[in-house]
Amino acid sequence: MWQSSPPGSIYDYIRVASFSIGPDGLIEQWSRRAAGLFGVPADKAVGMDPVEAFMPAELRRDGHRRVGEILDGKEWTGLVPFRIPGGDPVHGLAEIYVMPSETGTGERAALCIVVDVRALRHIETDLAASQAIFGQSPFGFVLFGTDLTVIRANQRFATVFGGQAADHRGRTVDDYLSRPEADRLTATLERVLETGASVTDLQLVGTAPGDSDNRQWSMNLYRVHSGSGRPIGIAGLATDVTRRHIAAREAASARRNLALLNEASARIGNSLDLETTARELLDVAVPGFCDLASVDLYQGLLTGDDAPPGSWDSLRQESVGGSAELRRVALASAVSDALPATAAPDTAGPPALGAVHRFSYNSPCAIALRTGQVEDVPGDGRGFVQSTLAVPMVAHDTVVGLVQFSRTKGSEPFGERDRALATELAARAAVCIDNARLYRREHERALILQRSLLPPGDPVAAGLDIACRYLPGNTATEVGGDWFDVIELPGHRTALVVGDVMGRGLRAAVAMGELRTAVRTLALLDLEPAEVLSALDEVARGLGTPGGTSSSDGFGGGAQWPSRAAHKSREADLSEVYLATCVYAVYDPVTRRCTFANAGHLPPAVVEPGEPAMLLDVPPGMPLGVGGEPFEEVEVELKEGALLALYTDGLVESRDHPLDEGLDALRGALVEPERPLEDVCDHVLTTLDTRHGEDDIALLMARIQGLPADAVGDWRLPREPRSVGRARELARGRLIAWGLEELVDTTELLVSELVTNALRYGEGEIRLRLLRDRTLVCEVWDAGLVQPRRRRARDTDEGGRGLQLVGLLSVAWGSRRTPRGKTVWFELALPDGEPAAERTVEQLLSMF
């Protein structure tokens, strides 16, 4: 079949031309390619002598000889320089093939085929370069035909996929890639062939022959055209980027790990709760690091043992029966229904949340706990979990528990980087858990200390109905220094105290205990409220002074200069300054008068029957520990049935509620004071926002119930000897009226002793008072300032045994100063129907 040569064929590139020479040696025929090659049209070239026309002068002689030989029937091939008429002397170099021929009449002629040597050399160079690039390329080079079969592949491509380069001719992409990848590459080849748009960095995944590992290739595709622009195939350049992908994955993993550690630093340890910290660890790890995770903490650590079972010594001493008891405190799963909600104790399944369990001695988890090293745990047997790391949680050479990280089928197994990250995550959480353990221990001890210093049960006082509440801050806050106290004073009086040490923690609780003890000690001295606070201020300043002294010169009250060590200690203790607020009130049930003194505390609240609640105007004074300012007293007479409330700032102040709003809310909550006092307390705590957990709350409420008039005997006696007998008669008559005949003899004896001492050592008018409440109290008042002092009389002394009798026969006795003298008192227990105990011989003899 005849067909024309398409444009852009090889002949166009090598520029083949032809012409013929007649018997006379002149040009007879001149082809169009010859005209293009030599630049001479046919009408000029025909009839010309080719030697004279195109060859340099120095070659013409030899040229004529060659033409003669050709016309004689000899073939010739050679390189001939040629020039174009009118052009340069030598224009080019032609390779001429001369073949003898004959005319129709039998004459000798010649046919000449001419090739431009320059074009031929260009083609050879291009072919050599193409071969070098194609054959010597370090990348896989493949040429697909228009039917998407391989036309040619280089040796690098064959090295990857086996055989020689020629063996791949005629193959398709299905011979190299899996079905999904082959379909994707085929679609891409069709699109490139159709549109001519090149594709760069096409990512393909496959396996080389004899290799089970997946490899990554990056392929660039572009359409190849002929000289005329006709598409003849698609060239593909493939590069193995497996290492690059591995490096990228490792870099991404490193970035992920750093981000995970950064997130762990921000999210783990935000609370001082063991279980919460464990859950925070799993919130970070799942699903960012693993699919499943659990945290087991030692049971001893959770129960507050001082020596947790995770210490190295205890770990070495564990029996072969297994690990110490652990409790599963946290579970997390990124896969639905991956972990059971419950697990029976006798099953081999994972422990349920909150379950107490042990790991068998030879299990990887127990080994990890004993050695402190990460252990690999086999799969779960269901084929669900493919990789698990058992990571001990170590803090300060103490193993506090175990965390297990698991990855399911389909996830990448744990590598060395993952082991290091798991260890770091567990270590960070362990430190936070250990801190939480230490905090919990300190917090519990502080609470125990704080509660041990508060009055046990419901305090009882004469003429008062008392209810109290103490709410510690929640587990997220530190222990505070709030306290309250109810102290019985002589004469059936009662001291009500509420205070608050500024600050939190164990030190504040200890300072509160010291101040409370000091208040009780000062109260027993029966000082006025302002004097009590002044002395307490000195105690508070001593708490914050080096060496525990409150002297103004800082030298501990001595005249010596302090040592260098003492000076350094003083500088180190400058921050240990204890400030406290306190309100101290003394209530007398006979007069229903209450005397208040305030040291920077919130004002007491009072509700009288039929009246709205009000805050008493008690001068606040300076907080304890500041010093330098005297305290003032305010005496208030309270009506029968009135309600008195003392409280700390935690009840009325928070971040969300200013103090004024809290005080208004407190006044609004003190309604219906006639309700049972316990109900009033509960109503106040329920109405106010007391669950913010920012501070401790102390609330002390008292309902005024003065002593009945018939429970008080009060007489004034002249300063004369017969007043002793008169005092005995008055006491006897009142006791008989009260039905206390059993106490008549003892009371007469003791009253006689006290009145006699008042006549002998006192001054002014004498006052006798009997008070009956839960006990019987007898008071003898006079204007003398000399306090009685008990002493042991010698055998030869005629007196000095009166106070000895008072101390022996009474439950308690003492004396106190009054604004106009002193009061000596004794207290007797009311008879309970049981016969009085017989006194021993020693007790009887000691009276004489």
Side-chain angles (χ1 to χ4, degrees), residues 51-73:
V51 176
E52 297 292 335
F54 302 107
M55 295 185 66
E58 64 274 11
L59 298 177
R60 290 175 184 171
R61 180 177 178 181
D62 187 57
H64 284 295
R65 182 174 59 82
R66 295 291 185 187
V67 170
E69 293 177 352
I70 292 170
L71 292 176
D72 289 339

Side-chain angles (χ1 to χ4, degrees), residues 23 37 56 95 159 161 165 167 193 201 260 265 284 345 460 465 473 475 485 494 532 696 702 733 795:
L37 176 63
E95 188 174 37
T159 301
F161 291 101
D167 298 336
L193 186 62
D201 198 22
L260 204 61
S265 300
V284 172
V460 179
D465 182 14
T475 56
D485 209 345
T494 303
V532 171
D696 291 2
D795 294 341

Side-chain angles (χ1 to χ4, degrees), residues 112-132:
C112 300
I113 304 297
V114 182
V115 178
D116 188 349
V117 174
R118 292 179 306 169
L120 191 61
R121 295 294 181 266
H122 283 314
I123 293 174
E124 292 175 349
T125 302
D126 290 345
L127 289 175
S130 175
Q131 181 61 32

Side-chain angles (χ1 to χ4, degrees), residues 328-397:
R328 181 143 295 184
V329 296
L331 282 173
S333 172
V335 184
S336 60
D337 301 328
L339 292 176
T342 59
D346 55 351
T347 62
L353 183 63
V356 178
H357 63 97
R358 296 175 182 266
F359 291 114
S360 61
Y361 185 79
N362 292 321
S363 65
C365 293
I367 295 173
L369 289 171
R370 287 196 303 272
T371 63
Q373 303 295 323
V374 181
E375 293 289 330
D376 293 314
V377 181
D380 59 356
R382 297 178 298 164
F384 182 75
V385 175
Q386 70 160 343
S387 181
T388 298
L389 296 178
V391 186
M393 307 175 73
V394 183
H396 311 301
D397 290 337

Side-chain angles (χ1 to χ4, degrees), residues 719 753-764 766 780-782 822:
R719 191 171 186 79
E753 289 292 336
L754 295 187
V755 174
T756 300
N757 284 345
L759 287 172
R760 182 178 299 179
Y761 305 109
E763 299 177 5
I766 299 173
V780 176
W781 302 22
D782 69 81
K822 69 177 181 296

Side-chain angles (χ1 to χ4, degrees), residues 767-788:
R767 182 181 177 186
L768 173 65
R769 190 167 74 167
L770 293 179
L771 306 175
R772 187 198 65 185
D773 192 69
R774 291 174 292 109
T775 61
L776 176 67
V777 174
C778 176
E779 298 176 329
V780 176
W781 302 22
D782 69 81
L785 298 177
V786 178
Q787 297 290 324

Side-chain angles (χ1 to χ4, degrees), residues 193-250:
L193 186 62
E194 180 181 356
T195 63
S198 60
V199 173
T200 59
D201 198 22
L202 174 64
Q203 298 293 315
L204 298 173
V205 179
T207 56
D211 190 359
S212 59
D213 295 333
N214 282 335
R215 305 195 66 81
Q216 302 274 344
W217 291 290
S218 172
M219 199 163 192
N220 298 327
L221 301 171
Y222 58 94
R223 191 170 66 182
V224 179
H225 306 83
S226 66
S228 62
R230 179 174 55 89
I232 61 173
I234 304 168
L237 183 66
T239 306
D240 191 336
V241 293
T242 305
R243 291 184 179 179
R244 189 171 71 189
H245 274 264
I246 293 175
R249 279 201 309 271
E250 291 180 351

